[in-house]
Amino acid sequence: MQLRRATMADFDRIIAILKDGANQLAERGVDQWQGDYPSKEQIKEDIENGWAFLAVSEDQETVGAIAIVDGPDHVYDHLDGKWLADTNKYVVIHRVAIHSQHSGKGYATKLLQSVINDIKNNRDDIDSIRIDTHEDNKAMQHLIAKMGFSKVGYLHGAYRPNETSYVYELLK
């Protein structure tokens, strides 16, 4: 799995992948990404800041999208829990989606492993990796735990009122 930094030329592709991801969540009965998040403005900001990446398979197919955001990330200002590392030197994985045309092939695992390996090998300035997901997104919770993250707390209403997210951290 390769990560390719997205440019504005990739904007429509990222939007399509995330909309497909939202549809997959809805089909599983998960209320995540069913509102105005992630917004087009958020994706534009991700691209402009160099946080947006496309996931490219070994056969050069674009299979997914991900945002890797440098901390501090103020969505975590009201964490109900305790971080493993008391630091502002972290990155956050946000907006992870594998297009349904490519699901069931282990790409989500390969994508997260690529991100983790890249951060561990190339980001000496980072102490930890953080990620969160909707309380009903069991597939993502399973993947996050499989990647070695520890659950450190909860976010209440960070993305939408009355929505709870589980928050995880992996020390580098």
Side-chain angles (χ1 to χ4, degrees):
M1 177 73 53
Q2 298 172 347
L3 293 176
R4 182 176 65 76
R5 192 176 304 271
T7 67
M8 285 308 292
D10 300 308
F11 179 82
D12 289 338
R13 179 177 282 186
I14 293 171
I15 293 295
I17 291 168
L18 295 177
K19 283 190 183 302
D20 180 78
N23 291 339
Q24 291 177 65
L25 289 167
E27 288 170 7
R28 293 196 317 257
V30 178
D31 196 32
Q32 186 176 8
W33 291 7
Q34 301 308 303
D36 59 358
Y37 178 88
S39 68
K40 289 183 176 185
E41 293 76 27
Q42 180 67 64
I43 304 315
K44 184 178 178 210
E45 181 181 337
D46 286 348
I47 293 169
E48 289 172 346
N49 286 308
W51 299 335
F53 292 85
L54 293 171
V56 181
S57 67
E58 290 76 20
D59 59 357
Q60 301 305 306
E61 287 283 323
T62 298
V63 299
I66 191 168
I68 306 167
V69 179
D70 287 330
D73 186 337
H74 296 293
V75 75
Y76 293 136
D77 285 353
H78 302 288
L79 175 73
D80 179 3
K82 181 167 175 33
W83 296 111
L84 300 175
D86 184 16
T87 182
N88 279 334
K89 297 190 313 185
Y90 62 88
V91 294
V92 181
I93 297 172
H94 280 305
R95 299 174 278 289
V96 180
I98 299 296
H99 196 282
S100 60
Q101 292 175 333
H102 303 284
S103 63
K105 298 176 184 170
Y107 286 133
T109 299
K110 290 177 183 177
L111 174 57
L112 283 188
Q113 194 61 62
S114 291
V115 170
I116 291 166
N117 290 344
D118 185 62
I119 292 166
K120 285 184 174 185
N121 294 329
N122 301 310
R123 295 290 307 266
D124 292 337
D125 59 318
I126 298 300
D127 294 329
S128 75
I129 305 167
R130 298 175 179 180
I131 191 169
D132 63 84
T133 193
H134 191 280
E135 63 186 327
D136 295 332
N137 192 340
K138 304 297 185 207
M140 190 61 160
Q141 291 168 31
H142 174 77
L143 176 61
I144 291 168
K146 182 169 93 169
M147 295 288 98
F149 286 81
S150 299
K151 190 174 181 183
V152 297
Y154 307 89
L155 292 175
H156 305 287
Y159 301 103
R160 291 184 4 208
N162 304 316
E163 182 176 270
T164 298
S165 297
Y166 297 164
V167 181
Y168 302 80
E169 186 173 28
L170 177 67
L171 294 177
K172 188 178 144 210

